[in-house]
Amino acid sequence: MEPVAARADPAPSFWAGRRVLVTGHTGFKGGWLAIWLHRMGARVTGFSLAPVSQPNLYHLAGVGELTASHLADVRDAQALQGIVAEADPEVVFHLAAQPLVRASYRDPLGTFASNVQGTASLLDALRPLSALRAVVAITTDKVYRNLEQAFPYRETDALGGHDPYSASKAAAEMVIASYRDAFLAGQGVAVASARAGNVIGGGDWSEDRLIPDAVRAWEGQQSLDVRRPMAIRPWQHVLEPLCAYLVLAERLWDSPKAFAGAYNFGPQTHEAATVREVITLARESYGKGDVNWGDGSDGPHEAGWLALEVAKARHRLGIAPRWSLGTSVERTMRWYRRQAQGESAAALCAEDLDAYLGVQPT
């Protein structure tokens, strides 16, 4: 198949009136996705636990008012089946998960239950649907067996995971592939998994995430403790992978056999950056902030070097990163700074979407 044109955008005409199920819509990425889908006219049903953090994007941006919102646990197979049947979606985005590495050390069984059994329960609930055509299941860049070597991971590399979070997401990839091959493909449903790099953007207040931790510390006139300043990650603004998920779903709808499978989404390999670089940029943009730099010895094991090969997404889907690391960090910190000054979270999200899509302000 010939590569498609670069810098693809989601097509509002495709999403207008489309029935879409988003699991994890109360979270950071799920909230942004629900906002974007609503903007394009989709009829969104959300299924998720109640927001964990205070504050949170779900409440501040009114995501519940943009969706048919159901607050329930993805581990509750019976509740999931009922809501899925009622929503009767044409497209599904599965983001509900226990998403934190350090939390997975504290609760490994809960992490595996949410990320593996929860994924299986959702996919099983989708089997009876007749209108469903496309499923995008979001995992993580950490699904790969990390060899701590300086090369980017491709979609064909071995899966694995040292910590329970990474291992659970690698196991979820196996579940996704099994349900795709054993059941859903034969029913005409195209299934893909999306492995996205580290995501930043306004509206994330999760624990143990770099930018939210920085915002909390600096807003409270405290120093930010950075455990592993030299850890390298594929950082990207939240709108980058969300754009990719939406475009991927459209391709799955049009050509299910050609586009099903696994995809990496992230910056170009040479743009992977250290934690120190990100925090330095964040502090410059935010205008203040003290930092205590650790030596990498604190806390449980976490990968030191991680980058993704994104050639498949670029050539097959036309997905190319738009915002540099500097732009991504600057827009993220501007969002937090202006929200703290009383501006509307919903308006700030709309402004970022306009900027990302190149919409001229009126």
Side-chain angles (χ1 to χ4, degrees):
M1 178 176 294
E2 291 297 318
V4 296
R7 297 176 69 91
D9 279 333
S13 60
F14 173 86
W15 295 103
R18 188 79 61 195
R19 298 191 306 278
V20 182
L21 173 66
V22 177
T23 71
H25 71 299
T26 64
F28 166 52
K29 286 172 71 176
W32 270 97
L33 179 58
I35 291 168
W36 199 339
L37 284 165
H38 179 267
R39 172 187 174 116
M40 294 189 293
R43 296 159 57 190
V44 183
T45 297
F47 181 102
S48 183
L49 291 172
V52 175
S53 68
Q54 294 296 336
N56 58 77
L57 186 66
Y58 177 77
H59 287 136
L60 288 176
V63 174
E65 285 71 57
L66 308 180
T67 63
S69 183
H70 300 270
L71 301 184
D73 195 327
V74 73
R75 294 171 291 186
D76 186 343
Q78 185 174 359
L80 189 56
Q81 288 173 356
I83 292 167
V84 165
E86 178 185 347
D88 191 25
E90 299 167 280
V91 178
V92 172
F93 294 98
H94 177 46
L95 291 83
Q98 193 296 98
L100 302 171
V101 171
R102 282 164 68 90
S104 77
Y105 280 104
R106 297 192 296 269
D107 183 16
L109 291 181
T111 298
F112 280 105
S114 293
N115 297 353
V116 184
Q117 187 59 51
T119 297
S121 294
L122 172 69
L123 293 172
D124 204 64
L126 299 179
R127 291 174 59 194
L129 302 182
S130 59
L132 180 67
R133 290 275 298 276
V135 179
V136 179
I138 284 72
T139 58
T140 178
D141 57 354
K142 298 173 181 63
V143 297
Y144 296 106
R145 183 183 302 161
N146 196 307
L147 304 177
E148 297 289 357
Q149 297 180 9
F151 59 80
Y153 292 97
R154 292 178 169 85
E155 290 87 348
T156 54
D157 285 334
L159 304 179
H162 180 282
D163 58 88
Y165 169 73
S166 301
S168 71
K169 285 294 194 175
E173 287 277 355
M174 301 293 289
V175 171
I176 294 162
S178 173
Y179 268 84
R180 179 186 64 233
D181 298 339
F183 304 111
L184 295 171
Q187 299 171 206
V189 178
V191 180
S193 62
R195 306 164 181 176
N198 283 41
V199 173
I200 61 175
D204 187 7
W205 283 278
S206 301
E207 65 168 339
D208 286 330
R209 283 190 181 155
L210 185 64
I211 295 297
D213 284 350
V215 171
R216 276 189 290 266
W218 297 341
E219 198 61 35
Q221 308 299 319
Q222 298 176 343
S223 293
L224 170 67
D225 294 324
V226 176
R227 297 188 303 272
R228 291 176 170 82
M230 301 314 296
I232 294 175
R233 295 288 186 270
W235 308 93
Q236 59 185 329
H237 193 274
V238 63
L239 293 179
E240 302 279 15
L242 295 187
C243 178
Y245 302 163
L246 292 163
V247 171
L248 174 56
E250 294 174 22
R251 302 288 185 268
L252 292 171
W253 185 281
D254 292 335
S255 303
K257 292 183 179 179
F259 289 99
Y263 293 84
N264 289 339
F265 297 122
Q268 299 299 326
T269 302
H270 69 275
E271 292 181 334
T274 66
V275 169
R276 181 183 285 272
E277 290 175 278
V278 172
I279 287 301
T280 299
L281 289 169
R283 183 166 51 182
E284 290 173 356
S285 177
Y286 206 62
K288 62 179 180 180
D290 295 327
V291 183
N292 297 323
W293 301 106
D295 61 5
S297 62
D298 181 43
H301 173 273
E302 295 181 69
W305 200 98
L306 178 59
L308 298 176
E309 173 57 69
V310 295
K312 180 180 179 181
R314 183 173 66 251
H315 290 293
R316 297 294 308 282
L317 302 175
I319 295 299
R322 304 181 187 199
W323 285 351
S324 67
L325 177 62
T327 298
S328 298
V329 173
E330 194 279 328
R331 294 206 72 95
T332 297
M333 303 312 290
R334 179 196 304 177
W335 195 105
Y336 284 109
R337 188 172 62 248
R338 291 171 59 186
Q339 190 276 328
Q341 293 168 351
E343 294 194 42
S344 160
L348 291 170
C349 290
E351 185 177 311
D352 277 353
L353 273 164
D354 285 345
Y356 186 80
L357 295 170
V359 177
Q360 295 299 316
T362 57

